Amino acid sequence: MARRVFYSFHYKEDNWRAAQVRNMGVVEGNAPVTDNEWESITRGGDQAIRNWIDEQLNGKSCTIVLIGTHTAGRKWINYEIEKSWNDGKGLLGIYIHNLQDREGRQSSKGSNPFDGFTMKRDGAKLSSIVKAYDPPYSVSTDVYAYIKRNLAAWVEEAIAIREKY
């Protein structure tokens, strides 16, 4: 049975790239929202967004942060990372800048979003615990194949790492 995961990503910039990963069928992810649904959720304000995220995270064993150029430091991605960690979920990142968007363009590599979190008990950066995978290819089809080939194992490893903390 496939693991149930939550995908965290910068919607406006990376929705096309994220859809490629979500549609691989390797793990079961949260259902995508349309632009209209997301606009409706965001019109409800911060609490509505928080409630939607919380509902989407419910029943998931791992959160996968799809890292694009401007993913790190975004308010709601930070919320998803913090909530996932605090709820005991596996957590991992995958750099998706070398996947092509709908116009066939790649983007520049973004910062590690886990660098922005410090562990209370020992002061270590979350990035020293949570793995962020950067596929070692520059051709989009090779990046896609690499992610698809490794995704299930990365999720299992992320869950095992989280269980140690």
Side-chain angles (χ1 to χ4, degrees), residues 36-135:
N36 289 341
E37 289 171 319
W38 183 242
E39 287 174 18
S40 176
I41 293 164
T42 58
R43 275 196 300 272
D46 284 1
Q47 190 57 51
I49 296 169
R50 228 180 329 275
N51 291 344
W52 181 84
I53 292 168
D54 293 353
E55 182 180 317
Q56 295 300 309
L57 283 168
N58 187 38
K60 306 299 191 292
S61 54
C62 186
T63 293
I64 300 170
V65 181
L66 300 175
I67 307 168
T69 304
H70 299 110
T71 304
R74 296 190 59 80
K75 177 180 179 177
W76 295 113
I77 290 169
N78 284 349
Y79 176 78
E80 293 160 353
I81 290 169
E82 185 172 357
K83 175 140 183 66
S84 295
W85 184 262
N86 289 341
D87 287 354
K89 298 179 188 315
L91 191 58
L92 69 107
I94 303 172
Y95 288 93
I96 59 169
H97 61 286
N98 280 333
L99 287 174
Q100 292 179 343
D101 65 12
R102 83 177 76 209
E103 280 88 36
R105 295 180 305 221
Q106 295 173 315
S107 61
S108 58
K109 183 177 177 179
S111 300
N112 185 326
F114 308 117
D115 281 342
F117 295 88
T118 303
M119 302 300 292
K120 290 180 182 174
R121 71 178 190 189
D122 63 4
K125 286 188 179 275
L126 188 58
S127 59
S128 70
I129 300 166
V130 173
K131 293 189 178 185
Y133 300 93
D134 188 5

Side-chain angles (χ1 to χ4, degrees), residues 115-165:
D115 281 342
F117 295 88
T118 303
M119 302 300 292
K120 290 180 182 174
R121 71 178 190 189
D122 63 4
K125 286 188 179 275
L126 188 58
S127 59
S128 70
I129 300 166
V130 173
K131 293 189 178 185
Y133 300 93
D134 188 5
Y137 301 101
S138 58
V139 175
S140 185
T141 54
D142 294 337
V143 172
Y144 178 93
Y146 183 81
I147 293 170
K148 186 172 184 175
R149 186 171 53 250
N150 291 289
L151 186 57
W154 292 341
V155 168
E156 293 304 320
E157 183 179 26
I159 292 167
I161 288 169
R162 181 63 185 100
E163 288 172 354
K164 295 177 186 176
Y165 292 88

